[in-house]
Amino acid sequence: MNMGEEVSHLKAHVNTFYNNGALQRASEQPHLKTNQKPSQINKKVGSQEEFLREFLDLPHGIPCHDAYSRLFRLMKPTSLQAFFDKFRSDFAAAHAEHPAIAIDGKEMRRSFDRAASQSNLNVVTAFAHGARLSLGVTQSAKGGGEILALRELIEMLDIRGITITADALHCQRETCDLIVQEGGDYCMQLKGNQGDMQADVRAFVADQNIEYIDEYISVEGDHGRVEERSYRVYDVPNYLVDTHQWPHLGAFVHVVSRRTAGDTTKQSERVYLLSKCFTAQAAATLIRGHWEIENSLHWSLDVVMNDDHHRARKDNAPANFAALRRIALGIIKTNTAKGSNRVKFKKAGWSNDFLRTLIAGL
């Protein structure tokens, strides 16, 4: 039986006995308790069948673990986008003034399959600044696939009036042009992958006779060190526009960071491209806000949800379970009860009343 026939067979089997939406929602409930394997889902759902019947139609009882395994192997990851749609509407309502979305990839380090010569899966996520919610996911292959995955996400999302931030890998003419064509703006770090342009921009900002448009300085002290950052916004000179033909380029941001720990001071410089001329403080917020995807999402996935230890590796299962973990984390983050994400996950396992409030938000 080929893959297409197997998918059709599975859909016919599942539709005969179970509702697909019920399976998905039943699968999400154990993720709220950090149980993430099909066998764990089956056991946890089976132990709370009476509770789950408050939310799900299960006329034939609890599906076996093979049903979950086959479903998530063969189901397209886009089937879970409805969950992210809710996060996107919440984000749009709460951050109407200066919305921004960070896009970055994360490798699932144990999704490899040596027998099938399959390398680790790289999952690219759109993550809302401030709200700290995942708004969409897609998967990419190694060797440049993340660039195409980001463009796929851009076309999937409604980015009108939203600024997209990404690291230097995505500082590409085609990507920046697509973002603006879709109604958004961009803030991209300029590095060596655009060598000639990086050299020209660095020479431009190093010229002491060039006046900047705006400046913002921040000073932060923590853990025995002090870090001062200077953000200067520059207009784009005509000769750089003519030479490099960068699409929709509106301004540069030159960032100088000085970190002092004891008697040691280290300095670093970075340059960012903007599609429109933000104030220096607004640019600083965009640049610093981008790292929330590392500090809030990727860290939580690894430390709280053991993302790197998940061994799903067949067909679409790695991408689907990666999406489920991001959905579960988003549900936890939108809950306003006191406590860390880890505590809330544990509380979902201790208290059906708390779990009921989380499921009601799906």
Side-chain angles (χ1 to χ4, degrees):
M1 184 182 293
N2 62 34
M3 178 67 78
E5 292 172 342
E6 189 172 354
V7 170
S8 299
H9 174 77
L10 175 64
K11 285 183 176 179
H13 173 78
V14 168
N15 287 337
T16 300
F17 294 100
Y18 307 108
N19 177 277
N20 259 355
L23 276 171
Q24 292 175 12
R25 288 169 67 93
S27 302
E28 189 58 47
Q29 185 256 3
H31 275 74
L32 292 170
K33 302 182 179 185
T34 66
N35 295 283
Q36 300 173 8
K37 298 178 181 178
S39 57
Q40 292 174 330
I41 292 173
N42 169 255
K43 290 177 181 178
K44 193 62 191 179
V45 171
S47 69
Q48 292 199 300
E49 179 176 352
E50 183 178 349
F51 170 78
L52 285 173
R53 285 185 182 278
E54 296 178 23
F55 307 94
L56 304 176
D57 182 18
L58 299 170
H60 301 283
I62 299 299
C64 67
H65 77 275
D66 284 338
Y68 288 112
S69 178
R70 284 180 291 162
L71 174 71
F72 287 108
R73 281 181 59 186
L74 302 176
M75 183 178 71
K76 292 182 179 180
T78 52
S79 302
L80 296 169
Q81 285 302 318
F83 290 101
F84 293 110
D85 290 341
K86 182 183 184 303
F87 295 151
R88 287 201 290 268
S89 62
D90 291 346
F91 165 67
H95 298 80
E97 264 191 77
H98 301 291
I101 295 174
I103 300 182
D104 195 19
K106 181 184 184 298
E107 193 172 87
M108 294 174 58
R109 297 188 179 277
R110 289 182 61 80
S111 59
F112 61 87
D113 188 350
R114 290 194 180 96
S117 300
Q118 173 183 295
S119 60
N120 292 333
L121 178 72
N122 190 2
V123 178
V124 181
T125 308
F127 192 70
H129 288 215
R132 300 184 179 184
L133 295 174
S134 297
L135 306 180
V137 296
T138 188
Q139 63 189 83
S140 67
K142 282 193 172 182
E146 188 175 323
I147 295 174
L148 299 180
L150 178 140
R151 294 173 189 171
E152 181 181 332
L153 267 179
I154 292 298
E155 293 175 339
M156 183 189 306
L157 302 171
D158 181 1
I159 64 166
R160 289 173 294 180
I162 296 174
T163 301
I164 302 298
T165 64
D167 60 26
L169 172 68
H170 301 289
C171 191
Q172 309 281 339
R173 287 173 172 81
E174 294 84 354
T175 300
C176 291
D177 188 40
L178 175 63
I179 290 171
V180 176
Q181 285 184 14
E182 293 291 325
D185 287 296
Y186 60 79
C187 175
M188 302 282 186
Q189 186 174 3
L190 180 64
K191 273 190 168 181
N193 59 335
Q194 301 292 338
D196 292 342
M197 185 169 182
Q198 183 194 35
D200 288 347
V201 173
R202 285 191 175 277
F204 169 74
V205 299
D207 189 337
Q208 297 299 315
N209 295 321
I210 300 296
E211 293 187 1
Y212 50 84
I213 299 173
D214 192 21
E215 182 179 31
Y216 173 70
I217 296 175
S218 67
V219 180
E220 298 176 359
D222 200 6
H223 303 291
R225 62 177 181 264
V226 177
E227 187 157 0
E228 178 183 341
R229 300 183 187 90
S230 168
Y231 302 83
R232 289 182 174 178
V233 179
Y234 292 86
D235 198 3
V236 183
N238 291 331
Y239 75 89
L240 283 180
V241 173
D242 295 338
T243 301
H244 297 286
Q245 299 292 313
W246 196 272
H248 314 287
L249 183 59
F252 301 127
V253 182
H254 183 222
V255 183
V256 179
S257 299
R258 296 182 183 87
R259 175 178 292 188
T260 301
D263 298 329
T264 304
T265 299
K266 295 182 179 179
Q267 178 171 306
S268 62
E269 299 183 31
R270 290 162 288 153
V271 176
Y272 293 82
L273 307 184
L274 301 175
S275 59
K276 72 177 183 181
C277 189
F278 291 94
T279 66
Q281 186 170 358
T285 300
L286 286 172
I287 292 167
R288 296 287 292 165
H290 175 74
W291 296 108
E292 288 179 1
I293 195 170
E294 291 286 352
N295 300 332
S296 183
L297 176 64
H298 294 170
W299 185 89
S300 294
L301 287 171
D302 285 337
V303 176
V304 179
M305 306 195 74
N306 296 319
D307 186 69
D308 278 342
H309 295 282
H310 200 282
R311 284 296 286 137
R313 56 196 181 277
K314 299 292 186 182
D315 305 319
N316 290 325
N320 282 321
F321 279 108
L324 282 176
R325 286 191 288 277
R326 284 156 175 79
I327 292 166
L329 188 59
I331 293 169
I332 288 291
K333 285 179 178 292
T334 56
N335 181 267
T336 57
K338 290 184 178 180
S340 66
N341 294 331
R342 189 191 298 274
V343 168
K344 290 180 183 180
F345 275 117
K346 289 183 179 293
K347 190 176 178 181
W350 298 331
S351 168
N352 280 348
D353 287 338
F354 182 68
L355 181 58
R356 190 176 284 107
T357 64
L358 296 177
I359 295 176
L362 288 174

